[in-house]
Amino acid sequence: MKLPRIRSWVLICLALLAAQAQADSRLLPFDARSPAALRQANAGRPFVLVFWSVHCAPCFAEMAQWRAYRKQFPGIPIIQVATEPLDESNAILSVLDRYDAGTTGHLAFADDYAEKIRHAVDPKWRGETPRVYFYDRDHKRVARSGAMDPEWTSRWLEQQSR
Amino acid sequence: MVGARGTVAAILLFAIGAAWAQDHAAHAGGKPHPQRFALGSSAAVDSSGTIWAVHVNGGRVAIRHTGGVGQSWSAPVVLSEAEERIEADGDARPKIAVGASNELYVTWTHPLAKPYTGEIRFTRSIDGGKTFSAPVTVHRDRQQITHRFDAVAVSQRGQVFVAWIDRRDAVLAKEKGETDYRGAALYYAVSDDRGATFRGDFKVGDHSCECCRIALRPRSDGQMDAMWRHVFEPNVRDHALAVLAPDGTVTDLHRVTFDDWRIDACPHHGPSLVADGAGTLHSVWFALPSDEAGAFYGRLGEGRVDGQRKLGSAAAEHPDLAAAGDMLAVVWKEFDGERTQLRAMTSSDRGQTWRDQVLASTGDASGHPQLLEAGAGFVVFWNTRAEGLTLTAVPR
């Protein structure tokens, strides 16, 4: 899919500046305002919001698959958010170092008022992980809990990338 | 120069949105977070009515006590070593049990370097909390694997039971090339000498869920009931119960909840178990076979649950319960979009009829509420960011 060129480069530059400001923190905060900000930043574009936890073995198992999908579908942002608070970054980063090494731009809950952040994402989400939201171009979304169904996921990504 | 790593960063940050990234840059820009008072904590009551709480303060396990509702807490006494990391979020939190002579037994999980691994640590006081022993690791197995989600309880004969979730069998299965080992296993150890030494490691069973707290309940016969989230075939995350004997014998392992929650996920949401004066088992647990499900109460029967009912609204979570004779109390928390409510229901007829009430609320983060039997009634222990360690009496 094509992105408006000028806009995207301006945004990338701004984003890189922001990234530099946080060079010491490899994790970005995800808070109660973030779901709306994500929809706004991805207006007219499908995206995937993946929530995982350092306690969640099924989550680790599918990190490699999300990594492959990011390469395969570069036009569909796949945004991964740890549900632990940022100040547990040691635990979060030790998982990422092992299962998604070298990828920056991961996020984590900004604080431990998890129920408030979860409520902003979806009042029906009860905190179980993996929890994944598939937003289509119109941001109609499908929520899925539990281990990934790669067949379903591949099909969704292929459909959305057309 | 933008290498492969830089490209990925650019793509992700682009997706997140520059405005948002800038907005957050200010507070994520290397400023240290305020010293966090972790919310994972537990409490227990001794024979004099003193309430003891363990929590994590400045990264170390600490203990405090108070005379009861409305009284102040003592200054924290540190129990863990300075360099030792502690798990203290959600169901992974320090635990405490009290012996008949007011021995204090404290456990916690010390995470190791590899993700998802840990050791179960233990310390005790046999002088009413004046001094504590140097922490020791409870299990014999010292592989760098999962030993986590500790639970501690004292039997009617004064033996100390520590149970935990253990991945040694999953690791072994993987080494043998078996890829279909479900979940982890449950193990326990027993101390006959008030926590000076432990015997173990005794296996309860294979295929527990990996990330939920275990409920222990002392039986009148000196054995221990254990209830945990199991992974029944093929991936049903309902609960199991077994009877643990002090000699390591495990009997009567059977399924006790029947929600048929089929999922490969980490609910991080363990059960609680008590018995009323007539010996009936009452439990609260969490299951999500549909969006309408959630936190439940029920009485555990033979192959069935009696009086199962959903707690509160769709947002009800992390329930706990307590029993005293015919009296029962259930507590849970519930975020209403603005605040987190502490809600309860009480029964004076062993769970036949219930009365709902709202006990308190908080406007910031909070741990899981815990019900205690203190003095003449029930008290809720709740660690909140805004109010600190709180105690709330449950009106009957």
Side-chain angles (χ1 to χ4, degrees):
Chain A
M1 70 183 272
K2 287 217 164 151
L3 302 168
R5 272 207 150 220
I6 295 170
R7 184 170 163 260
S8 65
W9 276 111
V10 169
L11 287 174
I12 286 171
C13 289
L14 282 171
L16 283 173
L17 280 175
Q20 196 151 21
Q22 322 175 349
D24 62 325
S25 84
R26 288 162 53 201
L27 293 167
L28 290 164
F30 184 96
D31 63 22
R33 298 165 300 166
S34 304
L38 275 179
R39 286 196 301 276
Q40 202 184 344
N42 293 288
R45 175 173 43 197
F47 67 99
V48 183
L49 190 51
V50 181
F51 294 96
W52 66 278
S53 159
V54 301
H55 298 297
C56 171
C59 300
F60 305 167
E62 57 197 43
M63 285 223 171
Q65 186 60 57
W66 288 121
R67 198 181 165 98
Y69 282 143
R70 273 202 305 266
K71 275 212 178 105
Q72 196 184 341
F73 301 98
I76 303 180
I78 295 169
I79 299 139
Q80 285 162 278
V81 185
T83 56
E84 278 73 33
L86 261 187
D87 55 3
E88 283 173 34
S89 58
N90 281 348
I92 300 166
L93 289 173
S94 76
V95 173
L96 292 176
D97 284 345
R98 204 173 166 87
Y99 296 98
D100 197 14
T103 302
T104 46
H106 272 275
L107 295 95
F109 274 15
D111 56 47
D112 57 2
Y113 202 0
E115 50 265 58
K116 185 175 181 178
I117 302 175
R118 283 204 323 260
H119 189 270
V121 174
D122 174 6
K124 286 200 159 164
W125 173 31
R126 316 298 298 281
E128 73 282 5
T129 51
R131 175 75 164 179
V132 184
Y133 293 89
F134 296 87
Y135 287 81
D136 70 12
R137 206 163 269 119
D138 302 322
H139 291 179
K140 282 203 203 76
R141 69 183 184 185
V142 179
R144 293 178 75 97
S145 287
M148 182 196 289
D149 175 348
E151 213 173 291
W152 187 95
T153 307
S154 297
R155 203 164 54 233
W156 188 91
L157 289 165
E158 271 157 25
Q159 276 168 3
Q160 295 299 319
S161 62
R162 274 186 210 133
Chain B
M1 195 188 124
V2 179
R5 186 182 286 207
T7 310
V8 175
I11 288 166
L12 283 176
L13 285 168
F14 173 49
I16 290 160
W20 179 43
Q22 276 182 317
D23 184 29
H24 284 88
H27 80 80
K31 239 194 312 175
H33 283 255
Q35 181 61 59
R36 208 159 71 87
F37 183 83
L39 294 164
S41 49
S42 306
V45 187
D46 74 16
S47 64
S48 72
T50 298
I51 297 171
W52 297 85
V54 285
H55 61 102
V56 175
N57 197 4
R60 296 172 77 173
V61 178
I63 189 164
R64 307 171 77 168
H65 64 272
T66 178
V69 179
Q71 300 188 41
S72 58
W73 291 91
S74 66
V77 173
V78 169
L79 305 181
S80 65
E81 288 152 12
E83 64 278 12
E84 185 174 357
R85 282 202 296 137
I86 312 293
E87 280 191 340
D89 75 289
D91 269 0
R93 60 191 194 215
K95 308 285 191 321
I96 179 166
V98 178
S101 307
N102 290 343
E103 301 92 340
L104 303 173
Y105 302 117
V106 178
T107 60
W108 63 87
T109 297
H110 161 51
L112 304 173
K114 258 165 70 177
Y116 212 61
T117 65
E119 290 184 342
I120 308 301
R121 306 280 285 162
F122 172 88
T123 179
R124 65 162 186 177
S125 172
I126 49 173
D127 56 11
K130 289 190 195 72
T131 60
F132 282 83
S133 60
V136 293
T137 297
V138 172
H139 38 90
R140 290 200 181 160
D141 181 71
R142 296 298 166 90
Q143 299 175 75
Q144 195 179 153
I145 60 169
T146 294
H147 314 89
R148 298 172 65 211
F149 293 96
D150 47 293
V152 60
V154 184
S155 77
Q156 291 291 339
R157 294 184 195 144
Q159 288 163 305
V160 186
F161 284 62
V162 177
W164 65 89
I165 289 170
D166 192 310
R167 272 185 74 81
R168 73 184 76 175
D169 300 286
V171 169
L172 215 59
K174 202 174 170 189
E175 281 169 9
K176 284 192 209 149
E178 297 162 18
T179 52
D180 54 353
Y181 184 92
R182 301 188 308 280
L186 208 71
Y187 276 77
Y188 72 107
V190 178
S191 174
D192 310 315
D193 50 14
R194 303 199 297 166
T197 59
F198 279 90
R199 291 181 288 110
D201 310 341
F202 306 126
K203 183 171 174 177
V204 180
D206 289 302
H207 310 310
S208 70
C209 190
E210 299 101 322
C211 58
C212 292
R213 72 168 186 259
I214 304 157
L216 292 179
R217 185 195 75 86
R219 296 161 57 95
S220 54
D221 62 8
Q223 302 187 91
M224 193 68 70
D225 277 337
M227 179 180 173
W228 67 94
R229 187 184 300 284
H230 201 69
V231 191
F232 296 97
E233 281 190 86
N235 63 342
V236 179
R237 277 174 157 71
D238 285 349
H239 295 83
L241 188 143
V243 181
L244 321 185
D247 67 356
T249 311
V250 175
T251 52
D252 201 21
L253 198 164
H254 62 287
R255 182 167 174 176
V256 287
T257 65
F258 304 90
D259 302 292
D260 200 32
W261 188 18
R262 289 162 187 259
I263 193 163
D264 289 308
C266 173
H268 201 36
H269 217 136
S272 292
L273 177 70
V274 296
D276 64 29
T280 302
L281 292 179
H282 301 255
S283 178
V284 287
W285 69 93
F286 180 83
L288 209 51
S290 75
D291 271 357
E292 310 332 305
F296 289 107
Y297 157 84
R299 294 182 292 282
L300 307 182
E302 286 296 325
R304 65 174 200 280
V305 174
D306 296 319
Q308 181 165 342
R309 54 187 288 160
K310 202 183 133 197
L311 304 176
S313 77
E317 57 183 11
H318 301 300
D320 190 30
L321 84 171
D326 290 343
M327 300 291 303
L328 283 165
V330 173
V331 68
W332 67 92
K333 65 179 196 172
E334 205 171 299
F335 184 69
D336 67 4
E338 296 288 330
R339 296 176 67 80
T340 303
Q341 309 276 348
L342 182 65
R343 301 179 70 99
M345 60 181 203
T346 52
S347 172
S348 52
D349 54 10
R350 302 196 293 122
Q352 301 300 317
T353 59
W354 294 93
R355 192 162 72 92
D356 283 303
Q357 41 197 316
V358 178
L359 299 180
S361 73
T362 189
D364 203 339
S366 58
H368 300 351
Q370 188 190 348
L371 262 171
L372 306 170
E373 204 194 322
F378 299 116
V379 168
V380 183
F381 169 73
W382 194 28
N383 191 0
T384 65
R385 167 82 67 245
E387 294 86 12
L389 302 177
T390 67
L391 293 170
T392 309
V394 182
R396 288 201 169 173

